[in-house]
Amino acid sequence: MQAFHLQRAENLIEMVDERLRSEVNPTEAITLMKVALLCTSVSPSHRPTMSEVVNMLEGRISIPNAIQQPTDFSEDLRFKAMRDIHQQRENHSLSTS
């Protein structure tokens, strides 16, 4: 989540370790982080394909400006399903004890 806040504040360079900042090309680092944020989207449909990633990193296509912040994980159906299964197992364990 911190990366999305820094991206919104246009300060992604803060994600680079202070000890390495003087050795890192800021433009390249920011490009890499923006692409990484796209690749970690909760929704697979919002993630770029590998060829799009390569093209973004090589500068052949532009990186979308609107990088979506992940939704609250409690709203994601996959996590809800896992939570429900866990709850059912706990209820079953309690009822058989």
Side-chain angles (χ1 to χ4, degrees), residues 31 53-61:
T31 297
V53 168
V54 171
N55 285 323
M56 284 186 259
L57 292 175
E58 291 181 347
R60 288 188 222 145
I61 62 173

Side-chain angles (χ1 to χ4, degrees), residues 2-33:
Q2 181 183 4
F4 287 97
H5 294 295
L6 290 171
Q7 188 270 333
R8 187 177 296 140
E10 297 183 9
N11 200 14
L12 276 174
I13 199 66
E14 290 294 316
M15 293 295 292
V16 176
D17 188 317
E18 303 175 350
R19 298 169 290 187
L20 301 174
R21 280 194 200 140
S22 63
E23 300 176 33
V24 172
N25 177 319
T27 303
E28 290 177 359
I30 290 168
T31 297
L32 181 65
M33 286 184 271

Side-chain angles (χ1 to χ4, degrees), residues 38-64:
L38 286 171
C39 292
T40 58
S41 176
V42 173
S43 172
S45 64
H46 290 119
R47 296 180 205 147
T49 64
M50 199 58 182
S51 60
E52 290 172 326
V53 168
V54 171
N55 285 323
M56 284 186 259
L57 292 175
E58 291 181 347
R60 288 188 222 145
I61 62 173
S62 61
I63 301 167

